[in-house]
Amino acid sequence: MGRKTGRTVQQWITERRMVEARRLLAETDLTVETVGARVGYRDPGYFARRFRRAHGTAPLEWRRAGRTR
């Protein structure tokens, strides 16, 4: 996969998880913990760290700002 897309499989998986996490944060009232679990992160703290690394803000802050992407 990496030679065709320039991304590793893990990067692709993380990107897909974050797309779904953003959708759930924007379109539902699920807790951040539940959103993390639904996209495959058992540890809510780890989900929050990965989300912050990918988006520059915590999941709850992202939701409160009304962001869609």
Side-chain angles (χ1 to χ4, degrees), residues 24-45:
L24 291 170
L25 288 167
E27 298 177 5
T28 72
D29 291 328
L30 296 172
T31 65
V32 170
E33 181 176 341
T34 301
V35 169
R38 289 228 180 143
V39 299
Y41 293 99
R42 292 184 194 169
D43 179 348

